[in-house]
Amino acid sequence: MHLNIAVLEGDGIGPEVVAQSIKCLRSVEETFGHSFTFQKGLIGASAIKQTGSPLPKETLKLCKSTDATLFGALGLPEFDNNPKAKVWPEQGLLKLRKKLGLFANIRPVKVFPSLVKQSPLSKAQVKDTDLVIFRELSGGIYYGEKTFDEEKNIATDICSYSESEISRITHLAFKSARSRKKKVTLVDKANVLETSRLWRRVVTQISESYPDVELNYQLIDNAAVQMVLNPAQFDVILTDNMFGDILSDQGSVIAGSIGLLPSASVGLEHAMFEPIHGSYPDAAGKNIANPVASILSMAMLLQHFKMNEESDAVVAAVLKSFSKKIVTPDILGSSKYGTNYVGDFIADNIMELD
Amino acid sequence: MHLNIAVLEGDGIGPEVVAQSIKCLRSVEETFGHSFTFQKGLIGASAIKQTGSPLPKETLKLCKSTDATLFGALGLPEFDNNPKAKVWPEQGLLKLRKKLGLFANIRPVKVFPSLVKQSPLSKAQVKDTDLVIFRELSGGIYYGEKTFDEEKNIATDICSYSESEISRITHLAFKSARSRKKKVTLVDKANVLETSRLWRRVVTQISESYPDVELNYQLIDNAAVQMVLNPAQFDVILTDNMFGDILSDQGSVIAGSIGLLPSASVGLEHAMFEPIHGSYPDAAGKNIANPVASILSMAMLLQHFKMNEESDAVVAAVLKSFSKKIVTPDILGSSKYGTNYVGDFIADNIMELD
Ligand SMILES: [Mg+2]
Ligand SMILES: [Mg+2]
């Protein structure tokens, strides 16, 4: 297969973790006889510095014309801590998601047996955790109309959802559940919010077309508790933009390191793959950043294009790095292996599985 | 001091846990020479059954005319599982909070050293946790206007905050921080929401009047992570209605038992004190319910009226019950002590501290 991949390295540790994924993709090319081309684009703080915009037009054009986008990380403290800034690095990502029509953010959370000790939760709590969060990504209160009445000093944000916005991600979630443990948990606040009540109605109705998948419901406050008490109960979690933001970040600590978790953002025409971690500027250039989240995101890219065998081979190489303790210091404090070494090891161990 | 206290026992285990708090208040009366009178009112499922309303007028009148309200617990499954019900027990509490102008919900989360093993988090994570959440209780998206457009199948919820709504709870939070570890963490989503940006501006401005208190900021998704990774970093958490709902329930699991956590809901003229646990109908009448959350809520009542010594004496008696293992079975599976025995022990051990 030939794929044309847009590469947005972004800020901080972005460039160095993405470099490991590209290394691994080169190895996949060789092992499985594919051909990948890579084209770089600017985004985030580095794009602001060079062009004034967090998402230059060329970058958007690049992402629209390629088959998929591999994204690094984004953000620098000089912007976060400046309330007077007119543009923020994060705007680049929000705009890109919107322009590419990426309406679903997919985040698997898996506790790897060899890393179970990494989790802040007790072993009994986390073992067997293997869930995936489907977060609606282009609607809800994050994108709703905002007002500020200067006279009365009143601010408002509107949360809005249409049936069609709910329905398209719901189908993705149920299809995913079919190839997993066949369970969908809808997380909402239906005892209080009108939008949540619409989610319940739409999702319940759609669930009837998937009789092999079980649907249950949790309120967001309870779900945040269950994510700590018993994350292994979940298979597919389906939820709106804001609740998904909170739950998926919370889910991320369960795995023991935010450096391990990949994500995909998909729409009808485009797809983007990115680690869930931030740009971690303090670690940039020090060869200590964990490349695994970026590499596993790249594995999701392969899966997205039905290269399941190839994706499995990448995951197997990552698991081998864990069992051989070829990991960065965030996983094992005493480890002397850096970003590059771990990336090389994983790339070298991508091979056809029997 | 003389206090006239409204007692709303509510449903399920409500009556039996409140009975232990009253026992302890009698002991405080004797030990410290105060005088408390108690007047009972109906609320919740039992009020619906007897009067048709979850909040009878007499109850509201009672709570308005007394100095403070001691609340038990609320709800019965026959209402929860009946989607056709016209009234719900929970409406009684929502309406009462609104009518009494209770705009701040205050929830301390403390991990007691002798109970640290109870927490689902590892000891390293939770020891030294001693935080209090100030949740805005009468505004935000839970109370905002809701619409549903049947033609377009679009639902909306409006989140709205005014400067004055933010300012009154902010002062409470900073005053509390002054008597604690002098640190306030504002939790919001200021990188996305207009209401959050108003919170930041108002809180930042007010913080200038409290130069002895440190203010910092966390985004809600990060705060949900930090609450798992390192809850001991927090002193006072200040946040809006919905974020507070999620964070305080999440905080509640950290303590290891929901049976331990008290809360206060305060306004300008009224105050109500209640355990955060529900009515736990399966345990009702079995003498197994944990009375500690109710007793600690009563200790918050004493503190509210500046009876700090008295409040400390109640907390000391509770700690003694922990160290002597005079606890209900939710804390120690093998324990044979019931609600009444634990209540008696704590009441008997309320004494003047040196
Ligand atoms: Mg987030
Ligand atoms: Mg709640």
Side-chain angles (χ1 to χ4, degrees), chain A residues 62 105 126-127 144 159 192 346 349:
Chain A
L62 172 69
N105 184 244
V126 297
K127 73 179 175 55
C159 179
V192 183
I346 295 171
N349 282 279

Side-chain angles (χ1 to χ4, degrees), chain B residues 67 76 107 120-121 131 164-165 217 234 258 264 299:
Chain B
D67 298 306
L76 283 185
R107 283 212 201 172
L121 301 185
L131 60 90
S164 60
E165 283 174 314
Y217 312 92
F234 295 112
I258 204 165

Side-chain angles (χ1 to χ4, degrees), chain A residues 120-122 146 148 153 155-157 159-161 163 189 192 194-195 201 221 225 242 245 249-250 253, chain B residues 120-122 142 146 148 153 155-157 159 161 163 189 192 194-195 201 221 225 242 245 249-250 253:
Chain A
L121 302 184
S122 69
K146 286 144 189 27
F148 179 62
N153 253 328
T156 66
D157 294 282
C159 179
S160 159
Y161 269 109
E163 183 185 7
K189 189 74 186 178
V192 183
E194 197 64 36
T195 44
R201 287 199 298 275
D221 44 341
V225 167
M242 189 174 63
D245 184 19
D249 282 2
Q250 204 198 335
V253 291
Chain B
L121 301 185
S122 69
Y142 287 4
K146 284 141 192 28
F148 179 61
N153 253 328
T156 65
D157 295 282
C159 180
Y161 270 108
E163 182 184 9
K189 188 74 185 179
V192 182
E194 196 64 36
T195 45
R201 286 198 299 274
D221 45 339
V225 166
M242 188 173 65
D245 184 19
D249 283 1
Q250 204 198 335
V253 293

Side-chain angles (χ1 to χ4, degrees), chain B residues 37-52:
Chain B
T37 55
F38 303 100
Q39 287 174 267
K40 289 190 184 179
L42 288 169
I43 195 164
S46 45
I48 294 174
K49 287 180 181 174
Q50 289 183 51
T51 72

Side-chain angles (χ1 to χ4, degrees), chain B residues 33-75:
Chain B
H34 298 302
S35 118
F36 305 134
T37 55
F38 303 100
Q39 287 174 267
K40 289 190 184 179
L42 288 169
I43 195 164
S46 45
I48 294 174
K49 287 180 181 174
Q50 289 183 51
T51 72
S53 159
L55 179 70
K57 271 183 200 154
E58 298 71 40
T59 300
L60 181 58
K61 215 171 129 187
L62 173 69
C63 295
K64 282 191 167 175
S65 63
T66 44
D67 298 306
T69 298
L70 203 55
F71 182 89
L74 185 147

